[in-house]
């Protein structure tokens, strides 16, 4: 697809390949950015974008909950309108109605009515003309009192004395009862108490007659004061306010329970029931925050990590990891388990892949989006952000398995601290999720993040073949098949690669580059020399050069150049990461071989020499790390071949190599600054001066000398040293060096760190030093400057091979 687009642009717009590739790269970045914003928005605002899929959004009062509905975030106390109204109704009902004082007029009215009724009954009892049935019928005509047949019979059969007593009792009881306060709601209770008001001297039949005549005469003598009652109830209800709070993970409605008005209100407050207007706001908010995260990340990468822009594959991988963890947070948030979700694994993965700076940036972006996802929860944002930053700042050795344990513990402690800061009211709110449980989840979170990060690094390394820290450690092992082949088939190249690896690692450390990557890349940068090892100087027997026999500059150049292309093929064959293959291709850049000068010398005036045949295919170093390897490779080879005898010779050689690379433009695309180059030059000089320092020249012993014999000079060497103690002795800081040379032309080897001692002796003396004390070990006391006899201690066993 990419090739087709490049061909289309070149065909219709007549663009050069380099410009076409740049345009496609920019277009790809724009498309990738759009996809990132789209996916991030969908994840963050999923409930708002798809309300029909989220069955909670369609719940109504009276519906059964399809699942346990938990609070997706902690909500501070708020006034519940539904519960407040319910409580106010209860309080209003508890307020006793307020009545006016008893009305005496009502009491007198009832007493007067009772007197009239009693007089009427008395007249009927003494009617001489009425028959019993007629008198009973007349008694039934009383409207204010309901009398049954049994009471009427007793009234008519009662003697006058008993009737007089009953009549007086009725008046007395009525007056006594009506003097008290009788309300609408207490009339029945007063009537029920009438039998208790009748004197005990009356029989049950007489008492029943008294109660029958009184029960219809008792009525309320006070009325409700509606205004005062309502005022009292309003005042009591005004003081009622029911507040609710929710902790993240607290169950609001259990599966199968009916959603009542209070639960529906809680779902609405938690944002689980969103109206159309709120859904639109949430979608816009998610788009804005996703764009902000993308813009900030893009500006940071463009300012400080421009190398990532050149690696579309790495950028896509980082974005995929970010979105994957964001999606996981969405899933865990639905079940209220964000305390247990290992968001800090993102920071650990980013540290292992691209460094701590990008890990901090990614953690802050993830915290912002998850906080927004949890309805703007500051607690959630802090929980994710603090944990991620602690992981990024404490993970120092991502290539080691045990390097993840301590960051995991620190993340756990940070999670617990954040939770304690924001966890309020849990012990008094009746939350289903206890503080202890959440603290345990928060602590496990850090350990789980470390485990997930390790698993993620392994998966990413296997699937994408990336040079992660663990992969680099694996590739640096000497038992790697490709390194074993180099050791067996090109041992000189293997030793050269080790030296270059040490140089490159120290130089990368000095300028803050990826030292581990450079060191491992240096081990493999010359693997292509295995195909023709004898044509490279480090693998040649001294005095035998196959290029002299070949006697063809073009073929020699082709053989030398082929180690780059052959090395890249071998790297592919052994599945080395692409980043390491870049080192193989770029470590010589596009420099021209010295065979080109030979070809020009042999060519006639009319012959044309194609310089492309003598030029490495390149490209030039595209990163600081590949540029460091180029300089280390060239400097090590040049110093080794020239065999310098002075420190200044080494420094001059390094300066010439670096100046040559700069003048030919080999470092133009590497990103190295002048300060970086100055630091690299200093590092190379210190290391190579320590490696290639001059050694002791020992005279050849032809015949062992007797202790009593003296050579031609008449004195033994020990005696001459003692006698010549006043002669010049050069002492400098540098490796200890003894040279047997003539006094007139003795070269002084001066280094910087360890004393250099040059002893001047006669040139005709070849007697070896006798009984010279050995150099002291680290645990032994050092002798004086010239030993116990005024002589400089030297090593007896001959020169050390390097």
């Amino acid at each position: 697809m990419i090739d087709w687009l490049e061909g289309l642009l070149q065909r219709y717009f007549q663009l050069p390949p380099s410009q076409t590739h740049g345009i496609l790269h920019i277009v790809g970045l724009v498309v990738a950015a759009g996809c990132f914003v789209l996916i991030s928005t969908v994840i963050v605002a999923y409930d708002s974008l798809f309300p029909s899929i989220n069955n909670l959004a369609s719940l109504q009062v009276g519906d059964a909950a399809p699942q346990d509905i938990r609070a997706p975030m902690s909500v501070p106390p708020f006034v519940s309108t539904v519960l407040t109204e319910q409580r106010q109704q209860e309080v209003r009902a508890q307020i006793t109605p307020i009545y006016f004082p008893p009305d005496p007029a009502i009491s007198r009215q009832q007493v007067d009515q009772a007197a009239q009724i009693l007089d009427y009954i008395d007249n009927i009892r003494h009617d001489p003309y009425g028959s019993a049935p007629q008198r009973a019928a007349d008694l039934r005509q009383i409207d204010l009192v309901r009398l049954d047949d049994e009471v009427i019979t007793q009234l008519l059969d009662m003697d006058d004395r008993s009737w007089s007593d009953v009549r007086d009792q009725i008046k007395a009881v009525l007056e006594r009862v009506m003097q008290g306060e009788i309300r609408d709601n207490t009339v029945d209770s007063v009537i029920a108490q009438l039998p208790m008001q009748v004197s005990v001297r009356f029989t049950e039949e007489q008492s029943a007659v008294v109660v029958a005549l009184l029960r219809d005469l008792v009525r309320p003598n006070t009325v409700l004061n509606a205004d005062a009652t309502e005022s009292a109830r309003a005042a009591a209800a005004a003081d009622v306010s029911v507040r609710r709070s929710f902790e993240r993970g607290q169950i609001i409605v259990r599966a199968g329970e009916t959603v009542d008005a209070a639960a529906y209100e809680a779902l609405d407050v938690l944002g689980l029931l969103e109206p159309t207007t709120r859904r639109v706001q949430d979608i816009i908010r998610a788009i804005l925050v996703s764009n902000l995260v993308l813009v900030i990340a893009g500006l940071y990468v463009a300012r400080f990590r421009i190398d990532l822009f050149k690696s579309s594959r790495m950028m896509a991988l980082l974005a995929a990891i970010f979105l994957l963890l964001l999606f996981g947070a969405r899933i865990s948030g639905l079940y209220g388990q964000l305390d247990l979700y290992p968001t800090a694994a993102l920071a650990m993965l980013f540290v292992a892949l691209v460094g701590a700076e990008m890990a901090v940036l990614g953690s802050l972006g993830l915290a912002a989006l998850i906080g927004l996802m949890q309805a703007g929860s500051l607690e959630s944002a802090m929980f994710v952000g603090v944990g991620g930053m602690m992981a990024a700042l404490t993970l120092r050795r991502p290539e080691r398995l045990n390097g993840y344990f301590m960051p995991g513990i620190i993340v756990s402690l940070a999670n617990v601290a954040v939770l304690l800061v924001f966890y309020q009211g849990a012990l008094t709110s009746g939350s289903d999720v206890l503080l202890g449980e959440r603290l345990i989840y928060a602590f496990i979170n850090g350990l789980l993040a470390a485990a997930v990060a390790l698993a993620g690094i392994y998966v990413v390394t296997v699937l994408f073949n990336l040079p992660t820290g663990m992969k680099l450690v694996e590739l640096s092992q000497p038992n790697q098949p490709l390194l074993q082949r180099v050791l067996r088939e090109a041992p000189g190249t293997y030793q050269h690669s080790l030296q270059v690896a040490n140089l490159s690692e120290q130089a990368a450390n000095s300028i803050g580059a990826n030292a581990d990557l450079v060191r491992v890349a240096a081990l493999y940068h010359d693997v292509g020399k295995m195909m023709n090892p004898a044509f490279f100087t480090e693998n040649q027997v001294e005095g035998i050069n196959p290029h002299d026999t070949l006697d063809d500059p073009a073929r020699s150049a082709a053989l030398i150049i082929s180690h780059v292309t052959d090395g890249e093929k071998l790297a592919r064959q052994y599945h080395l990461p692409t980043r390491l293959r870049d080192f193989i291709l770029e470590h010589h850049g596009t420099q021209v071989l010295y065979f080109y000068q030979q070809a020009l010398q042999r060519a006639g005036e009319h012959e044309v020499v194609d310089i492309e045949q003598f030029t490495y295919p390149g490209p030039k170093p595209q990163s600081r790390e590949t540029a460091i390897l180029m300089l280390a490779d060239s400097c090590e080879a040049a110093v080794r071949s020239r065999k310098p005898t002075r420190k200044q010779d080494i420094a001059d050689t390094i300066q010439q190599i670096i100046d040559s690379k700069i003048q030919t433009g080999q470092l133009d695309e590497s990103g190295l600054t002048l300060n970086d180059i100055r630091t690299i030059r200093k590092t190379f000089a210190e290391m190579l001066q320590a490696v290639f320092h001059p050694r002791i020249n020992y005279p050849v012993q032809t015949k062992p000398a007797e202790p009593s014999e003296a050579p031609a000079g008449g004195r033994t060497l020990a005696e001459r040293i003692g006698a010549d103690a006043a002669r010049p002795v050069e002492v400098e800081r540098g490796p200890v060096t003894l040279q047997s040379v003539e006094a007139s032309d003795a070269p002084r080897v001066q280094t910087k760190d360890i004393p250099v001692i040059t002893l001047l002796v006669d040139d005709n003396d070849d007697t070896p030093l006798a009984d010279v004390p050995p150099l002291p070990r680290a645990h032994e006391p050092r002798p004086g400057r010239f030993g116990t006899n005024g002589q400089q201690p030297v090593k007896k066993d001959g020169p050390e091979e390097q």
Side-chain angles (χ1 to χ4, degrees), residues 334-389:
L334 295 177
Y335 298 96
Q337 297 299 327
L338 192 61
D339 292 335
L340 198 59
Y341 184 68
T343 53
L346 174 78
M348 297 184 184
L349 284 169
F350 276 24
V351 169
L353 294 176
V354 290
E357 299 86 354
M358 291 298 298
V360 171
L361 191 65
S363 297
L364 294 178
L366 187 65
L369 291 174
I370 291 180
L372 179 64
M373 186 190 304
Q374 299 296 320
S377 171
L378 178 61
E379 177 188 351
S380 300
M382 287 286 291
F383 189 84
V384 176
V386 171
M389 292 186 67

Side-chain angles (χ1 to χ4, degrees), residues 149-213:
D149 294 339
E150 183 179 358
V151 173
I152 291 174
T153 301
Q154 291 179 0
L155 284 174
L156 296 177
D157 295 341
M158 192 178 302
D159 57 73
D160 292 339
R161 182 177 179 82
S162 298
W163 164 246
S164 177
D165 292 339
V166 168
R167 179 173 177 171
D168 293 340
Q169 183 69 25
I170 291 173
K171 291 180 180 179
V173 171
L174 182 60
E175 289 178 358
R176 185 168 58 250
V177 169
M178 292 302 295
Q179 287 177 357
E181 184 181 73
I182 303 177
R183 300 177 181 177
D184 295 337
N185 56 350
T186 61
V187 172
D188 294 337
S189 63
V190 172
I191 294 174
Q193 295 294 325
L194 287 176
M196 303 299 297
Q197 300 292 334
V198 180
S199 177
V200 294
R201 64 187 179 86
F202 292 95
T203 64
E204 292 185 5
E205 291 79 6
Q206 294 173 345
S207 178
V209 172
V210 173
V211 171
L213 291 172

Side-chain angles (χ1 to χ4, degrees), residues 692-757:
F692 294 102
H693 61 274
R695 295 295 177 183
I696 303 172
N697 292 328
Y698 287 88
V700 179
Q701 180 176 339
T702 58
K703 178 182 178 180
E706 296 296 333
S708 60
E709 294 180 354
R715 292 179 299 174
T716 63
L717 178 60
E719 293 173 346
R720 290 201 305 275
I721 293 178
D724 296 337
R727 299 179 63 181
V729 178
E730 298 294 337
V731 181
E732 298 287 346
R733 293 188 58 82
V736 178
T737 305
L738 301 181
Q739 279 191 315
S740 176
V741 294
E742 294 183 355
S744 59
D745 59 352
R748 297 181 180 179
V749 181
Q750 299 182 2
T751 55
K752 185 177 181 180
D753 299 321
I754 305 176
V756 177
I757 302 176

Side-chain angles (χ1 to χ4, degrees), residues 555-765:
R555 292 186 60 189
S556 294
L559 288 170
I560 297 298
I561 291 173
S562 66
H563 89 276
V564 172
T565 55
D566 291 342
E568 199 272 340
K569 293 177 182 178
L570 284 171
R572 287 182 179 274
Q573 179 182 347
Y574 283 85
H575 305 290
L576 294 186
T578 304
R579 188 73 178 91
L580 294 185
R581 298 202 296 267
D582 292 340
F583 283 86
I584 297 175
L585 294 173
E586 298 175 15
H587 78 277
H588 283 298
T590 57
Q591 69 183 34
V592 181
L593 292 171
Y594 70 92
F595 291 110
Y596 179 65
Q597 301 298 330
Q598 293 183 1
L600 290 178
Q601 293 175 3
R602 295 189 180 188
E605 296 180 357
H606 302 290
E607 296 183 15
V608 178
V609 179
D610 185 5
I611 193 174
E612 294 295 333
Q613 296 181 1
F614 301 89
T615 304
Y616 281 102
K620 297 177 182 179
Q622 301 296 304
S623 65
R624 296 196 301 169
E625 287 77 12
T626 53
I628 290 172
L629 179 59
M630 167 187 278
L631 297 176
D633 182 39
S634 300
C635 290
E636 194 279 337
V639 172
R640 175 168 40 82
S641 63
R642 294 184 182 181
K643 299 179 180 179
T645 59
R646 297 184 305 127
K647 287 179 60 175
Q648 190 58 42
D649 294 340
I650 297 176
D652 293 342
T653 301
I654 294 172
Q655 183 67 50
Q656 292 172 6
I657 295 296
I658 294 178
D659 290 344
S660 174
K661 301 298 182 184
I662 295 175
Q663 293 170 4
T664 56
Q666 298 300 313
L667 304 180
D668 290 351
E669 303 173 13
S670 65
L672 287 177
T673 64
L674 292 177
N675 188 52
D676 292 339
I677 295 173
R678 186 182 304 109
T679 304
I680 292 170
R681 183 178 67 246
K682 180 181 178 182
T683 303
F684 285 173
E686 292 175 352
M687 293 193 65
L688 291 175
Q689 286 167 357
V691 172
F692 294 102
H693 61 274
R695 295 295 177 183
I696 303 172
N697 292 328
Y698 287 88
V700 179
Q701 180 176 339
T702 58
K703 178 182 178 180
E706 296 296 333
S708 60
E709 294 180 354
R715 292 179 299 174
T716 63
L717 178 60
E719 293 173 346
R720 290 201 305 275
I721 293 178
D724 296 337
R727 299 179 63 181
V729 178
E730 298 294 337
V731 181
E732 298 287 346
R733 293 188 58 82
V736 178
T737 305
L738 301 181
Q739 279 191 315
S740 176
V741 294
E742 294 183 355
S744 59
D745 59 352
R748 297 181 180 179
V749 181
Q750 299 182 2
T751 55
K752 185 177 181 180
D753 299 321
I754 305 176
V756 177
I757 302 176
T758 302
L759 299 183
L760 305 180
V761 299
D762 294 338
D763 58 349
N764 59 353
D765 187 2

